[in-house]
Amino acid sequence: MDWLSLARALLLVGVASSVPWALGRWLGPRFAAPLDFGITLRDGKRLLGSHKTWRGFVSGVLACALVAPLTGIDAAVGAGVGATALLGDALSSFVKRRLALPPGAEVLGLDQLPEAVLPLLLFAGPLGLGAAEIVAVGVAFTLLDAVATPLRHRA
């Protein structure tokens, strides 16, 4: 197992996940245009919900693009990892809305795996990841997020 590649991948996925949250805490509702443009589907529920914003998407992508070169990864790969991680997060939100779960509801695995595994599968080559590293990062990210989420909600 390539521990350096594993650490880089976990760092990038963590940055993509954490920066939008931190910026949201700092800015509150300012610049928080909804990623789904407020679209409501036939089931009467929002496409993604109010927690998914363009501010979060752009900040997560830019943060990953800035952090990636510090770890020896190309900035474009970092931006791609950030974008696909946040698209995976949006996919989770879409599924939770269809399951009629309230905004902010936590579902272990559904909240973490699409966000972590989607970018790792798509960028496995440039990140130097094999199947074992992808699984390890997915598990590590899920566990770290499960521990961090209650702390974030208290902050």
Side-chain angles (χ1 to χ4, degrees):
M1 183 166 298
D2 181 357
W3 294 100
L4 181 58
S5 294
L6 191 146
R8 288 175 178 157
L10 184 59
L11 174 66
L12 288 176
V13 173
V15 165
S17 174
S18 301
V19 166
W21 172 83
L23 200 56
R25 295 286 295 180
W26 181 49
L27 293 176
R30 288 177 285 174
F31 314 111
L35 193 58
D36 66 5
F37 300 102
I39 294 170
T40 301
L41 297 182
R42 288 184 185 179
D43 62 5
K45 295 178 181 53
R46 288 273 300 274
L47 179 66
L48 300 176
S50 60
H51 291 134
K52 304 301 169 222
T53 66
W54 283 102
R55 176 189 66 204
F57 184 79
V58 170
S59 67
V61 171
L62 288 176
C64 283
L66 292 172
V67 167
L70 301 175
T71 69
I73 301 293
D74 186 79
V77 171
V81 168
T84 53
L86 293 167
L87 289 173
D89 183 49
L91 174 64
S92 298
S93 183
F94 174 80
V95 170
K96 290 193 302 186
R97 295 299 78 76
R98 305 299 62 81
L99 294 173
L101 297 172
E106 298 294 326
V107 179
L108 187 64
L110 178 59
D111 280 315
Q112 299 85 14
L113 292 176
E115 185 174 353
V117 175
L118 180 63
L120 303 182
L121 288 172
L122 293 174
F123 292 94
L127 293 172
L129 302 175
E133 286 89 5
I134 292 171
V135 169
V137 171
V139 169
F141 181 77
T142 298
L143 295 174
L144 288 170
D145 190 68
V147 169
T149 296
L151 300 174
R152 285 194 309 248
H153 287 296
R154 280 195 280 170

